[in-house]
Each structure stands twice: as C-alpha cells, then as structure tokens.
Amino acid sequence: QVQLVESGGGLVQAGGSLTLSCAASGNIGTMNVMGWYRQPPGKQRSFVARTTRSGNTNVADIVNGRFTISYDNAKNTVYLQMNSLAPEDTGVYYCYVRSSIYSNDDYWGQGTQVTVSS
C-alpha cells in the first residue's frame, strides 16, 4: 500500500502563488511517477502535471509557464509550484503515484482545496 498526504492548499488572490506538497510513504519502491490532477467545481478531474523519479516532467498546456512540478527523492515528496494563479485554477488538487507513465496502478491522495479569488 501507498499513502499520500497533500498539503499547501488554501485561499489566494488572483496573481498570487501557492506551493502544494505531496508526501508519499509505504510501498513506494516501484512507484516511478508522481503527479497532480485537479477537479474544478462541477467539472471532471483533469491532468495538471507529472514527473518521474529521474526528473522527466510533463505539464498541461493550460498551466504551462505558470506551474512547475518537482520531486525530492530524499523526502519522497512531489511539489507543485503554482504562480500567477487565476480564478479558473480553483479546484481540488489531487496527488497521485503510479509505477510508470502508462500504467494504471494509481494511488491517490485525499485532495487539497485551492481557491483563487478575483
């Protein structure tokens, strides 16, 4: 089993910044991909960003240039630095891990709320 604990969400004004953290524990030895999805109110969950342990990253076009994902191997923690936040970024942000990019053996965190006020 894998446990994921997210933190860092909150309320921020448009144009502000937040950094989300997701700490992984448990049987994470085979989990090589960590990332984030988000779910705006009334909408489906959508991909935000992912990284591999080796540092290969991918960021959704809609947040590219504003959001940065990084991974601390020593802490087994993935970060999502979010800059120039807009009200459209509001939603619940979920951390996930999986063994590889194309696998479906996902583990998910409980989600952290991000609210951007205009």
Side-chain angles (χ1 to χ4, degrees), residues 34-57:
M34 297 185 74
W36 297 90
Y37 274 66
R38 69 184 183 185
Q39 187 166 17
K43 297 184 179 180
Q44 291 187 334
R45 194 176 299 190
S46 63
F47 171 77
V48 176
R50 68 162 184 257
T51 182
T52 65
R53 287 180 181 268
S54 59
N56 184 11
T57 63

mmCIF file of all heavy atoms in Angstrom, residues 34-57:
data_model
loop_
_atom_site.group_PDB
_atom_site.id
_atom_site.type_symbol
_atom_site.label_atom_id
_atom_site.label_comp_id
_atom_site.label_asym_id
_atom_site.label_seq_id
_atom_site.Cartn_x
_atom_site.Cartn_y
_atom_site.Cartn_z
ATOM 1 N N MET A 34 5.042 10.489 -10.222
ATOM 2 C CA MET A 34 4.195 11.226 -9.280
ATOM 3 C C MET A 34 3.652 12.451 -9.990
ATOM 4 O O MET A 34 4.345 13.042 -10.837
ATOM 5 C CB MET A 34 4.977 11.652 -8.036
ATOM 6 C CG MET A 34 5.498 10.502 -7.209
ATOM 7 S SD MET A 34 6.291 11.063 -5.675
ATOM 8 C CE MET A 34 4.861 11.532 -4.703
ATOM 9 N N GLY A 35 2.443 12.827 -9.650
ATOM 10 C CA GLY A 35 1.888 13.981 -10.336
ATOM 11 C C GLY A 35 0.648 14.518 -9.674
ATOM 12 O O GLY A 35 0.296 14.131 -8.560
ATOM 13 N N TRP A 36 -0.005 15.408 -10.402
ATOM 14 C CA TRP A 36 -1.184 16.116 -9.895
ATOM 15 C C TRP A 36 -2.276 16.161 -10.949
ATOM 16 O O TRP A 36 -2.007 16.360 -12.140
ATOM 17 C CB TRP A 36 -0.813 17.555 -9.523
ATOM 18 C CG TRP A 36 0.180 17.667 -8.425
ATOM 19 C CD1 TRP A 36 1.539 17.701 -8.547
ATOM 20 C CD2 TRP A 36 -0.098 17.762 -7.022
ATOM 21 N NE1 TRP A 36 2.119 17.808 -7.304
ATOM 22 C CE2 TRP A 36 1.135 17.864 -6.354
ATOM 23 C CE3 TRP A 36 -1.279 17.791 -6.267
ATOM 24 C CZ2 TRP A 36 1.221 17.976 -4.972
ATOM 25 C CZ3 TRP A 36 -1.187 17.916 -4.899
ATOM 26 C CH2 TRP A 36 0.062 18.006 -4.263
ATOM 27 N N TYR A 37 -3.497 15.997 -10.462
ATOM 28 C CA TYR A 37 -4.697 16.282 -11.210
ATOM 29 C C TYR A 37 -5.475 17.331 -10.422
ATOM 30 O O TYR A 37 -5.204 17.567 -9.243
ATOM 31 C CB TYR A 37 -5.570 15.027 -11.360
ATOM 32 C CG TYR A 37 -5.220 14.147 -12.533
ATOM 33 C CD1 TYR A 37 -4.007 13.481 -12.598
ATOM 34 C CD2 TYR A 37 -6.125 13.961 -13.581
ATOM 35 C CE1 TYR A 37 -3.694 12.645 -13.663
ATOM 36 C CE2 TYR A 37 -5.824 13.135 -14.651
ATOM 37 C CZ TYR A 37 -4.607 12.489 -14.687
ATOM 38 O OH TYR A 37 -4.305 11.676 -15.752
ATOM 39 N N ARG A 38 -6.441 17.943 -11.064
ATOM 40 C CA ARG A 38 -7.311 18.869 -10.345
ATOM 41 C C ARG A 38 -8.736 18.713 -10.832
ATOM 42 O O ARG A 38 -8.988 18.274 -11.961
ATOM 43 C CB ARG A 38 -6.859 20.314 -10.521
ATOM 44 C CG ARG A 38 -7.027 20.888 -11.920
ATOM 45 C CD ARG A 38 -6.452 22.290 -11.981
ATOM 46 N NE ARG A 38 -6.664 22.914 -13.294
ATOM 47 C CZ ARG A 38 -6.170 24.099 -13.639
ATOM 48 N NH1 ARG A 38 -5.430 24.794 -12.771
ATOM 49 N NH2 ARG A 38 -6.405 24.593 -14.831
ATOM 50 N N GLN A 39 -9.665 19.095 -9.951
ATOM 51 C CA GLN A 39 -11.079 18.998 -10.272
ATOM 52 C C GLN A 39 -11.761 20.292 -9.883
ATOM 53 O O GLN A 39 -12.015 20.547 -8.689
ATOM 54 C CB GLN A 39 -11.726 17.824 -9.544
ATOM 55 C CG GLN A 39 -13.149 17.564 -9.946
ATOM 56 C CD GLN A 39 -13.651 16.211 -9.487
ATOM 57 O OE1 GLN A 39 -13.062 15.576 -8.616
ATOM 58 N NE2 GLN A 39 -14.743 15.758 -10.069
ATOM 59 N N PRO A 40 -12.069 21.137 -10.872
ATOM 60 C CA PRO A 40 -12.814 22.362 -10.588
ATOM 61 C C PRO A 40 -14.237 22.026 -10.161
ATOM 62 O O PRO A 40 -14.743 20.923 -10.468
ATOM 63 C CB PRO A 40 -12.797 23.105 -11.927
ATOM 64 C CG PRO A 40 -11.691 22.483 -12.705
ATOM 65 C CD PRO A 40 -11.650 21.061 -12.267
ATOM 66 N N PRO A 41 -14.917 22.954 -9.516
ATOM 67 C CA PRO A 41 -16.296 22.699 -9.090
ATOM 68 C C PRO A 41 -17.186 22.337 -10.264
ATOM 69 O O PRO A 41 -17.226 23.047 -11.272
ATOM 70 C CB PRO A 41 -16.719 24.033 -8.464
ATOM 71 C CG PRO A 41 -15.439 24.703 -8.093
ATOM 72 C CD PRO A 41 -14.430 24.269 -9.098
ATOM 73 N N GLY A 42 -17.883 21.236 -10.162
ATOM 74 C CA GLY A 42 -18.823 20.824 -11.188
ATOM 75 C C GLY A 42 -18.198 20.267 -12.457
ATOM 76 O O GLY A 42 -18.899 20.044 -13.453
ATOM 77 N N LYS A 43 -16.894 20.048 -12.442
ATOM 78 C CA LYS A 43 -16.219 19.552 -13.638
ATOM 79 C C LYS A 43 -15.463 18.260 -13.331
ATOM 80 O O LYS A 43 -15.319 17.866 -12.188
ATOM 81 C CB LYS A 43 -15.256 20.611 -14.184
ATOM 82 C CG LYS A 43 -15.938 21.889 -14.634
ATOM 83 C CD LYS A 43 -14.947 22.852 -15.247
ATOM 84 C CE LYS A 43 -15.645 24.112 -15.723
ATOM 85 N NZ LYS A 43 -14.685 25.075 -16.334
ATOM 86 N N GLN A 44 -14.995 17.638 -14.378
ATOM 87 C CA GLN A 44 -14.250 16.400 -14.213
ATOM 88 C C GLN A 44 -12.804 16.676 -13.810
ATOM 89 O O GLN A 44 -12.275 17.768 -14.023
ATOM 90 C CB GLN A 44 -14.281 15.598 -15.520
ATOM 91 C CG GLN A 44 -15.638 15.040 -15.871
ATOM 92 C CD GLN A 44 -15.587 14.112 -17.066
ATOM 93 O OE1 GLN A 44 -14.699 14.224 -17.913
ATOM 94 N NE2 GLN A 44 -16.518 13.186 -17.135
ATOM 95 N N ARG A 45 -12.212 15.650 -13.233
ATOM 96 C CA ARG A 45 -10.808 15.727 -12.869
ATOM 97 C C ARG A 45 -9.956 15.763 -14.130
ATOM 98 O O ARG A 45 -10.220 15.014 -15.082
ATOM 99 C CB ARG A 45 -10.443 14.520 -11.999
ATOM 100 C CG ARG A 45 -9.136 14.635 -11.278
ATOM 101 C CD ARG A 45 -8.902 13.429 -10.370
ATOM 102 N NE ARG A 45 -9.920 13.286 -9.336
ATOM 103 C CZ ARG A 45 -9.823 12.427 -8.330
ATOM 104 N NH1 ARG A 45 -8.744 11.644 -8.231
ATOM 105 N NH2 ARG A 45 -10.778 12.351 -7.427
ATOM 106 N N SER A 46 -8.934 16.610 -14.160
ATOM 107 C CA SER A 46 -8.083 16.725 -15.334
ATOM 108 C C SER A 46 -6.612 16.784 -14.932
ATOM 109 O O SER A 46 -6.272 17.214 -13.835
ATOM 110 C CB SER A 46 -8.453 17.965 -16.155
ATOM 111 O OG SER A 46 -8.246 19.139 -15.407
ATOM 112 N N PHE A 47 -5.775 16.364 -15.853
ATOM 113 C CA PHE A 47 -4.336 16.296 -15.640
ATOM 114 C C PHE A 47 -3.738 17.699 -15.496
ATOM 115 O O PHE A 47 -4.084 18.628 -16.237
ATOM 116 C CB PHE A 47 -3.694 15.564 -16.811
ATOM 117 C CG PHE A 47 -2.190 15.604 -16.812
ATOM 118 C CD1 PHE A 47 -1.464 14.792 -15.968
ATOM 119 C CD2 PHE A 47 -1.517 16.467 -17.669
ATOM 120 C CE1 PHE A 47 -0.078 14.826 -15.969
ATOM 121 C CE2 PHE A 47 -0.138 16.511 -17.678
ATOM 122 C CZ PHE A 47 0.584 15.694 -16.831
ATOM 123 N N VAL A 48 -2.800 17.818 -14.540
ATOM 124 C CA VAL A 48 -2.083 19.079 -14.352
ATOM 125 C C VAL A 48 -0.598 18.915 -14.692
ATOM 126 O O VAL A 48 -0.062 19.637 -15.529
ATOM 127 C CB VAL A 48 -2.225 19.592 -12.908
ATOM 128 C CG1 VAL A 48 -1.398 20.862 -12.711
ATOM 129 C CG2 VAL A 48 -3.690 19.852 -12.579
ATOM 130 N N ALA A 49 0.048 17.969 -14.024
ATOM 131 C CA ALA A 49 1.488 17.801 -14.245
ATOM 132 C C ALA A 49 1.934 16.469 -13.670
ATOM 133 O O ALA A 49 1.269 15.908 -12.790
ATOM 134 C CB ALA A 49 2.272 18.935 -13.586
ATOM 135 N N ARG A 50 3.063 15.977 -14.157
ATOM 136 C CA ARG A 50 3.643 14.758 -13.608
ATOM 137 C C ARG A 50 5.150 14.844 -13.733
ATOM 138 O O ARG A 50 5.696 15.615 -14.533
ATOM 139 C CB ARG A 50 3.129 13.519 -14.347
ATOM 140 C CG ARG A 50 3.613 13.406 -15.770
ATOM 141 C CD ARG A 50 3.455 11.997 -16.319
ATOM 142 N NE ARG A 50 4.019 11.915 -17.649
ATOM 143 C CZ ARG A 50 3.303 11.897 -18.771
ATOM 144 N NH1 ARG A 50 1.984 11.965 -18.711
ATOM 145 N NH2 ARG A 50 3.902 11.797 -19.929
ATOM 146 N N THR A 51 5.827 14.027 -12.941
ATOM 147 C CA THR A 51 7.269 13.908 -13.020
ATOM 148 C C THR A 51 7.657 12.468 -12.732
ATOM 149 O O THR A 51 6.948 11.755 -12.019
ATOM 150 C CB THR A 51 7.972 14.855 -12.036
ATOM 151 O OG1 THR A 51 9.396 14.743 -12.182
ATOM 152 C CG2 THR A 51 7.610 14.526 -10.592
ATOM 153 N N THR A 52 8.767 12.070 -13.285
ATOM 154 C CA THR A 52 9.325 10.771 -12.952
ATOM 155 C C THR A 52 10.447 10.958 -11.934
ATOM 156 O O THR A 52 10.920 12.082 -11.713
ATOM 157 C CB THR A 52 9.893 10.072 -14.193
ATOM 158 O OG1 THR A 52 11.003 10.832 -14.689
ATOM 159 C CG2 THR A 52 8.837 9.949 -15.283
ATOM 160 N N ARG A 53 10.872 9.875 -11.324
ATOM 161 C CA ARG A 53 11.966 9.975 -10.358
ATOM 162 C C ARG A 53 13.233 10.516 -10.999
ATOM 163 O O ARG A 53 14.046 11.153 -10.342
ATOM 164 C CB ARG A 53 12.250 8.603 -9.747
ATOM 165 C CG ARG A 53 11.194 8.116 -8.763
ATOM 166 C CD ARG A 53 11.587 6.760 -8.221
ATOM 167 N NE ARG A 53 10.607 6.225 -7.296
ATOM 168 C CZ ARG A 53 10.642 6.396 -5.992
ATOM 169 N NH1 ARG A 53 11.612 7.100 -5.446
ATOM 170 N NH2 ARG A 53 9.708 5.870 -5.219
ATOM 171 N N SER A 54 13.380 10.288 -12.284
ATOM 172 C CA SER A 54 14.573 10.751 -12.990
ATOM 173 C C SER A 54 14.465 12.200 -13.425
ATOM 174 O O SER A 54 15.411 12.738 -14.005
ATOM 175 C CB SER A 54 14.830 9.868 -14.208
ATOM 176 O OG SER A 54 13.723 9.908 -15.086
ATOM 177 N N GLY A 55 13.307 12.827 -13.167
ATOM 178 C CA GLY A 55 13.159 14.242 -13.456
ATOM 179 C C GLY A 55 12.530 14.571 -14.789
ATOM 180 O O GLY A 55 12.523 15.731 -15.213
ATOM 181 N N ASN A 56 11.985 13.583 -15.447
ATOM 182 C CA ASN A 56 11.279 13.830 -16.704
ATOM 183 C C ASN A 56 9.885 14.366 -16.379
ATOM 184 O O ASN A 56 9.071 13.679 -15.781
ATOM 185 C CB ASN A 56 11.183 12.530 -17.491
ATOM 186 C CG ASN A 56 10.560 12.718 -18.850
ATOM 187 O OD1 ASN A 56 10.382 13.846 -19.309
ATOM 188 N ND2 ASN A 56 10.211 11.622 -19.487
ATOM 189 N N THR A 57 9.625 15.609 -16.763
ATOM 190 C CA THR A 57 8.364 16.254 -16.371
ATOM 191 C C THR A 57 7.472 16.511 -17.575
ATOM 192 O O THR A 57 7.930 16.605 -18.718
ATOM 193 C CB THR A 57 8.620 17.581 -15.654
ATOM 194 O OG1 THR A 57 9.267 18.484 -16.551
ATOM 195 C CG2 THR A 57 9.501 17.388 -14.431
#
